[in-house]
Amino acid sequence: MKVAVSTSGTTLESPVDARFGRAVGFLVVDLDSNETEYVENTQNLRAAQGAGIQAAQNVANTGAKAVLTGHCGPKAFRVLGEADVAVYVGVEGTVAEALARYQAGDWEASTGADVEGHWA
Amino acid sequence: MKQTIAVASGKGGAGKTTVAVSLALALTDRGEEVCLLDCDVEEPNCHVQLNATPVSQEIANVLVPLVDKKRCDGCGACSRACRFNALAVLKDDVLVFSQLCHGCGACYYACPRGAIREVDRELGVVRELDADGLRLIDGKLNVGEAMAAPLITQVRKRAPDTGTTVLDGPPGTSCSMVASVEGADYAVLVAEATPFGLHDLGMAAEATRHLGVSLSVILNRTLGDDTEAKAFLDEHNLNLLGCIPDDRQVAECAARGGVPYRDVPSFAEGIRQVLDRLLEVTRS
């Protein structure tokens, strides 16, 4: 199973990026094979609107089934939900730490967005 | 020949509406064919100042995509074409966030399978009004609606092909202001001679120049010494059409629901002088 973590770096030791839609990028980790894939998100970092929607689309299309991030807005949450990707918010520390706690079952998946959208 | 003069300011409350309404009335008094467009669609006020009577009203829509999921093969071309990030293409589904859609139609043209058709989404209304013979067209954006620019475009499309169109624009320097000023023949920036007013004037002037529209400035509600404001205009190479002095009578008139251009002779004279200079620079 693949898990995507929002991060400001590119490795397992990089910090988790608190933003989802405007994260610098995502590290997608296959928990079975330990293979990692870096997905850039700089195009959405600069977007005037809809960053969360596009980030969610790109993450879902990597095949990830869970997202670990700081915060997730309503539109991104809807896209991820539609794609059956579980969302975990409030995640901090490094990517490796976040994955370890996720695998230990420390968190529960969110049932909704934890922050408001930027547009009505 | 048609001429469009856009009134903008950057800062809110600088006097755009009062100046736009007054310029339209002063042009009418000169016997010209005039149409006033209220493009401040989030809070259109020209009709309030003019006590205008609505003549007709039409629902204004924006065209948003509707995806035929039977035809869609999930290629993602629509999402890549959308510069407003309004479409998410997933393995088995396409999600349309129509509130983000500007109605540009790029997704419709990009879809190789003809799976997208465009349907109406209501933004607000466009109205025709009459103010004692002055034609006023305004747009009213629905409450909670974020897409002002497409509605402004629809208001501007109603402008007549002849005469002079005076356009009252929204504050700020973002999409709404750009949609109002872009393509105008000339822009008049109304500024308060205060630090806030001049700062925002600088931004509005920069945006207007970026749009390739020539501009001049009216300093509004000046209080005697405007050395600092004039130095700012010189420094930024901005042409001054004139100063309108601060006048309690104007505020009282507006508060009563009156039209300052009609009721306060000194103000009307100031507007006529500004208009003379404006016509000199735009028609010479």
Side-chain angles (χ1 to χ4, degrees):
Chain A
M1 176 184 156
K2 285 183 183 176
V3 176
V5 188
S6 61
T7 174
S8 51
T10 56
T11 69
L12 288 166
E13 299 316 312
S14 304
V16 173
D17 195 325
R19 303 161 298 179
F20 175 74
R22 292 177 195 276
V24 177
F26 297 94
L27 202 63
V28 182
V29 182
D30 187 323
L31 296 179
D32 305 315
S33 67
N34 280 327
E35 275 175 46
T36 63
E37 177 196 354
Y38 179 69
V39 179
E40 213 179 314
N41 195 49
T42 44
Q43 71 285 6
N44 291 322
L45 203 52
R46 287 192 298 266
Q49 61 173 36
I53 295 168
Q54 295 310 303
Q57 169 192 277
N58 296 345
V59 164
N61 289 338
T62 64
K65 285 293 153 207
V67 165
L68 312 182
T69 188
H71 300 286
C72 182
K75 297 195 188 75
F77 195 89
R78 190 180 142 209
V79 175
L80 292 168
E82 204 72 35
D84 291 322
V85 181
V87 182
Y88 295 82
V89 297
V91 177
E92 293 171 340
T94 66
V95 173
E97 285 163 4
L99 287 168
R101 290 195 62 185
Y102 168 75
Q103 285 181 289
D106 279 1
W107 297 311
E108 275 184 32
S110 303
T111 51
D114 73 316
V115 287
E116 285 185 25
H118 302 291
W119 294 79
Chain B
M1 201 187 119
K2 183 192 168 184
Q3 188 182 38
T4 302
I5 296 168
V7 180
S9 70
K11 185 182 174 299
K16 283 178 299 299
T17 299
T18 304
V19 166
V21 162
S22 303
L23 288 176
L25 291 172
L27 279 160
T28 306
D29 282 353
R30 291 169 69 112
E32 299 210 13
E33 179 194 344
V34 184
C35 178
L36 178 61
L37 294 189
D38 194 341
C39 290
D40 191 0
V41 298
E42 289 183 69
E43 47 258 328
N45 288 145
C46 288
H47 70 100
V48 178
Q49 194 161 94
L50 286 163
N51 197 17
T53 312
V55 177
S56 63
Q57 172 172 312
E58 263 183 54
I59 302 281
N61 296 302
V62 65
L63 286 171
V64 301
L66 186 71
V67 181
D68 179 348
K69 285 168 191 168
K70 282 191 223 116
R71 285 194 186 184
C72 172
D73 65 356
C75 74
C78 56
S79 173
R80 285 191 296 278
C82 180
R83 59 183 291 197
F84 303 107
N85 292 331
L87 291 148
V89 179
L90 302 169
K91 206 162 51 148
D92 306 312
D93 207 355
V94 179
L95 300 183
V96 179
F97 291 83
S98 54
Q99 279 194 316
L100 300 187
C101 174
H102 284 233
C104 72
C107 57
Y108 168 82
Y109 289 104
C111 179
R113 295 178 60 87
I116 290 180
R117 69 189 175 89
E118 296 181 288
V119 294
D120 283 334
R121 184 173 81 80
E122 186 183 321
L123 292 176
V125 293
V126 177
R127 304 188 302 172
E128 282 267 354
L129 304 99
D130 173 67
D132 279 336
L134 171 63
R135 185 177 175 201
L136 168 64
I137 302 170
D138 74 5
K140 231 174 149 175
L141 196 65
N142 286 346
V143 171
E145 175 58 59
M147 275 313 130
L151 179 55
I152 291 168
T153 305
Q154 292 184 38
V155 172
R156 292 189 63 180
K157 270 191 194 149
R158 304 288 179 108
D161 293 329
T162 54
T164 304
T165 294
V166 178
L167 184 160
D168 183 20
T173 50
S174 66
C175 302
S176 307
M177 182 269 193
V178 169
S180 301
V181 173
E182 193 170 27
D185 296 299
Y186 204 80
V188 174
L189 303 187
V190 183
E192 260 176 13
T194 62
F196 286 175
L198 295 176
H199 172 268
D200 294 0
L201 168 66
M203 292 175 72
E206 194 183 329
T208 305
R209 283 174 171 154
H210 194 75
L211 295 169
V213 177
S214 302
L215 63 128
S216 284
V217 174
I218 295 175
L219 288 176
N220 193 21
R221 293 199 294 262
T222 52
L223 294 161
D225 181 18
D226 40 31
T227 324
E228 212 173 305
K230 284 179 175 158
F232 181 92
L233 299 185
D234 283 344
E235 191 190 324
H236 292 81
N237 208 11
L238 292 163
N239 179 48
L240 180 63
L241 290 177
C243 297
I244 300 174
D246 189 51
D247 184 351
R248 192 177 168 90
Q249 283 186 75
V250 175
E252 284 175 1
C253 168
R256 270 199 312 272
V259 181
Y261 176 81
R262 292 267 179 254
D263 300 345
V264 186
S266 56
F267 175 79
E269 183 50 33
I271 289 291
R272 280 191 290 269
Q273 285 174 14
V274 163
L275 178 61
D276 284 344
R277 260 172 251 144
L278 175 64
L279 297 182
E280 260 170 48
V281 289
T282 59
R283 294 183 185 174
S284 57

